[in-house]
Amino acid sequence: MQGEEISKIEAYLRRLFGNGEISVRARPRKDDSAEVYLGEEFIGLIHKDDEDEDLAYNFTMSILDFDLG
């Protein structure tokens, strides 16, 4: 995932969560996914799913037990 595709996903996530600090960044040597950050903190991955006729993106975010406080 690169360029305009990443920009569109980033804009969508910012609108959806009402947070302009969300950024989506290309992954080195990977073209089927991108990293999602909140500020400088990595929060998850976006995977491109184009196996079916419809293009979709899957957002995966892990929440660690110690983050729940």
Side-chain angles (χ1 to χ4, degrees):
M1 296 171 37
Q2 306 252 343
E4 187 177 339
E5 185 175 33
I6 286 178
S7 295
K8 287 180 179 180
I9 294 168
E10 182 178 272
Y12 172 76
L13 291 174
R14 286 178 174 182
R15 281 191 316 272
L16 179 68
F17 294 113
N19 192 323
E21 291 189 38
I22 293 173
S23 63
V24 179
R25 304 175 191 175
R27 297 179 71 193
R29 300 176 303 276
K30 300 279 186 180
D31 62 356
D32 65 342
S33 58
E35 297 175 342
V36 181
Y37 288 81
L38 182 57
E40 289 302 313
E41 183 177 352
F42 173 80
I43 61 169
L45 291 173
I46 295 277
H47 290 274
K48 185 176 183 176
D49 178 4
D50 59 358
E51 291 182 16
D52 299 330
E53 290 181 17
D54 296 322
L55 177 60
Y57 299 91
N58 299 308
F59 176 53
T60 305
M61 180 176 160
S62 297
I63 300 171
L64 302 176
D65 183 50
F66 67 83
D67 288 333
L68 299 176

